[in-house]
Amino acid sequence: MWAGFAGIVLLMLAIDLFVVGGGKQHRVSMREAAAWSGIWVGVSFAFAGVLWWYLDGAAGRTFANETALKFVTGYLIEKSLAVDNVFVWLMLFSFFAVPFELQKRVLIYGVLGAIVMRTIMIFAGVWLIAKFHWLLYVFGAFLLITGIKMWWFAEEKPDLAKNPVVKWIRGHMNVTNELQGERFFVMKEQSGNLVRYATPLFLVLVLVEITDLIFAVDSIPAIFAITTDPFIVLTSNVFAILGLRAMYFLLADMADRFSLLKYGLAVVLMFVGVKMMLIDVFKIPVLISLGAVATIIATSIILSLRKDARERLATPATDAPGT
């Protein structure tokens, strides 16, 4: 199972890096992004089907059903929480005025960094939980508090100009004012010597990797509420991350239409946190967890689209002459 998973991931990474991400600089269209997003989701559910088929023959129907359901639930939770990643990436690229055609390289490193960091953190988390069961309560409380904070500060936007990481890099490194294509560093002549300068794209890359780490700290404990099986935890996380770049370009032009989605993600974190804190008192069935998470996300998307539609209808009336 591990070998099969590793082979699938390497193949998908090769396709994502050299087929989807290869070639000349260009802006990924919504149609192209939607097609690849559908492919990644399809591959993920195909993996769930193969996993179920293999376990059905090796361990029995009941175990196969339960394990496949845990994978799908974990995948849905991680995929949903990854949307917050996308919104932050959009904010970073917008702040540094990085055009779409120059974002590809940063996103590739962002996805690879997220996979490496999550893999390390997942195995560390599984080992810690096996040694110290009470950590589940700590993770549950952390998710509950994180969900409350996400709800409370949903409308606030951070001031990147005052970001301590950006200020530290600018204070310790030479940074150009303009982008230099997809390059992270350039050499410039200064007082007769060649001096290395970082570009704003390097600042974006550093912030993307840091936000990946922060979101991993938030999202990985969430799946521990579903299962502590390292195979299911890792596979659901990695499959959710692999399609992240295509999802980014899919949502890039319509992020403003999902203004209430952040509240839905906050509710998901609070629900998962409560589920984890009650794990030794009352175990919420995985099927109910899957239904709850799907309902929360679907409701927040529908309400966001309705709100956006009302605002679009109201705008022409407000701008009409004589009003």
Side-chain angles (χ1 to χ4, degrees):
M1 289 168 61
W2 283 103
F5 167 64
I8 293 171
V9 169
L10 290 175
L11 177 61
M12 291 177 69
L13 277 176
I15 293 173
D16 195 31
L17 296 178
F18 302 111
V19 178
V20 183
K24 62 181 182 180
Q25 296 177 3
H26 74 288
R27 175 168 180 161
V28 178
S29 67
M30 185 173 292
R31 177 179 294 183
E32 182 182 352
W36 280 109
S37 293
I39 290 172
W40 298 136
V41 172
V43 170
S44 302
F45 278 93
F47 176 82
V50 172
L51 178 66
W52 177 89
W53 171 80
Y54 175 79
L55 292 177
D56 184 46
R61 180 66 51 89
T62 302
F63 183 75
N65 290 344
E66 183 181 352
T67 304
L69 196 58
K70 287 178 179 179
F71 171 85
V72 173
T73 305
Y75 173 78
L76 179 60
I77 290 175
E78 297 301 325
K79 197 72 171 176
S80 302
L81 296 177
V83 173
D84 216 18
N85 259 47
V86 170
F87 290 162
V88 171
W89 289 357
L90 283 169
M91 178 187 65
L92 291 174
F93 285 128
S94 175
F95 179 82
F96 288 97
V98 180
F100 277 100
E101 56 271 18
L102 297 182
Q103 296 173 7
K104 178 181 67 178
R105 191 179 182 196
V106 173
L107 293 175
I108 289 173
Y109 282 111
V111 170
L112 292 175
I115 291 174
V116 172
M117 285 187 286
R118 285 170 185 255
T119 300
I120 296 171
M121 293 174 68
I122 284 169
F123 283 111
V126 169
W127 180 83
L128 286 171
I129 290 172
K131 293 286 186 181
F132 311 102
H133 179 75
W134 52 266
L135 279 175
L136 286 174
Y137 301 114
V138 176
F139 288 157
F142 172 75
L143 290 176
L144 179 60
I145 294 171
T146 302
I148 293 172
K149 286 177 62 179
M150 183 182 288
W151 179 286
W152 190 263
F153 298 106
E155 300 299 327
E156 289 196 10
K157 298 188 183 300
D159 186 358
L160 289 175
K162 298 179 180 179
N163 184 281
V165 175
V166 174
K167 292 174 68 175
W168 188 90
I169 292 177
R170 289 190 181 277
H172 291 77
M173 297 179 66
N174 298 312
V175 182
T176 63
N177 294 322
E178 306 84 18
L179 292 165
Q180 304 290 327
E182 289 187 316
R183 287 182 290 178
F184 295 131
F185 296 96
V186 293
M187 302 299 292
K188 283 192 170 187
E189 188 174 343
Q190 185 176 315
S191 302
N193 297 315
L194 288 177
V195 178
R196 183 186 298 274
Y197 275 74
T199 69
L201 203 63
F202 175 74
L203 296 181
V204 177
L205 175 64
V206 172
L207 291 174
V208 163
E209 297 295 355
I210 290 174
T211 54
D212 282 345
L213 178 61
I214 293 171
F215 282 120
V217 172
D218 287 344
S219 64
I220 288 176
I223 197 174
F224 286 144
I226 307 301
T227 179
T228 55
D229 182 340
F231 183 79
I232 300 302
V233 175
L234 182 62
T235 53
S236 58
N237 257 274
V238 171
F239 275 108
I241 292 298
L242 280 174
L244 196 55
R245 200 155 60 90
M247 186 169 69
Y248 167 82
F249 287 112
L250 179 63
L251 296 176
D253 289 330
M254 43 195 264
D256 292 339
R257 300 181 64 184
F258 298 102
S259 58
L260 301 179
L261 185 56
K262 207 171 187 71
Y263 293 98
L265 299 178
V267 174
V268 168
L269 284 178
M270 287 187 274
F271 168 76
V272 173
V274 171
K275 172 181 168 63
M276 188 174 286
M277 295 173 70
L278 296 175
I279 196 165
D280 291 325
V281 179
F282 174 71
K283 287 192 175 183
I284 301 175
V286 179
L287 188 59
I288 293 179
S289 299
L290 175 60
V293 172
T295 301
I296 292 168
I297 297 300
T299 301
S300 62
I301 290 175
I302 292 171
L303 292 177
S304 295
L305 294 176
R306 284 186 175 182
K307 178 175 178 285
D308 179 71
R310 286 197 301 269
E311 291 175 350
R312 288 173 182 268
L313 288 173
T315 301
T318 303
D319 294 339
T323 60

